[in-house]
Amino acid sequence: MHEATTISDLRAWKAAGKKFASVTAYDACFARIFMEAGIRVLLVGDSLGMVLQWHDSTLPVTVEDMAYHTSCARRGAPAAFLMADLPFMSYPDAKEACASSAALMRAGANMVKLEGGLWLEDIVRALTERAVPVCAHLGLTPQAVNIFGGYKVQGREAKDAENLYQTALALEQAGAQLLVLECVPAALAKRITAALAVPVIGIGAGPDTDGQILVMHDMLGLYAKPPKFAKNFMAGACDVPTAARLYAQEVEAGLFPAAQHTFT
Ligand code: KIV
């Protein structure tokens, strides 16, 4: 039996400079395998809309989908620190954000994750005040794919980088206890990670964030054309538990992500 992993552990890891791995999990079986492999931070991502449901974006995912998969993952990994995504348009204002978050927390999440920018400030504050821990997701936020015109690296222009930096500080100030940075230049991720007291988890954000996260299908090399920031850990493994352990070990040792997985 594992002792439950909490946000206090993640903060302690950051304070100690201990890198940690995280991965998505959408069901009990994989959640258990990843936890047993030493990955104690799991995300029920709305990426399930693409990797499980085979939509071409995350937009069709509902709160009911998220609650169902959160409850499955929780049963497989009772002691994991389990985050769950608030899906597209389930948090347009504080009231709906609270109702949607309640469904995910009741399903077993320890924290909800939401994508956006400065407009999230009031929502993050309202959720935190009402005992819903929040992870803010900045950079390439897939729910905004139609605004971005594709899945593109964010924060390359100086003004966009400054905007992301200021937004990260503001959302921490509003109560966010964790930050995910997706597909931003490594130097920007490094600056934000150093400035924030809360842990920062990167995906395509270079080697200097406190933690790393991958979609499990990318970590297991299930796609012919993986994104640049992904690595197929099955390539050096005979089974899924070994691949998951390799991933965790490479993150903890600072070996992943390497230069070829990183944006400038
Ligand atoms: O939905 C998801 O899987 C995510 C990760 C890519 C961070 O948000």
Side-chain angles (χ1 to χ4, degrees), residues 24 26 43 45-47 85 113 115 137 180 182 203 213 215:
T24 63
Y26 316 97
L43 169 69
D46 61 353
S47 50
D85 270 336
K113 177 163 82 56
E115 302 178 7
H137 180 158
V180 163
E182 178 165 354
I203 173 165
I213 187 163
V215 169

Side-chain angles (χ1 to χ4, degrees), residues 5-15 20 40-41 81 178 199 201:
T5 303
T6 70
I7 188 64
S8 306
D9 293 310
L10 277 68
R11 286 190 78 110
W13 297 340
K14 175 170 182 131
F20 61 92
R40 293 160 61 186
V41 181
F81 183 75
L178 202 57
I201 302 179

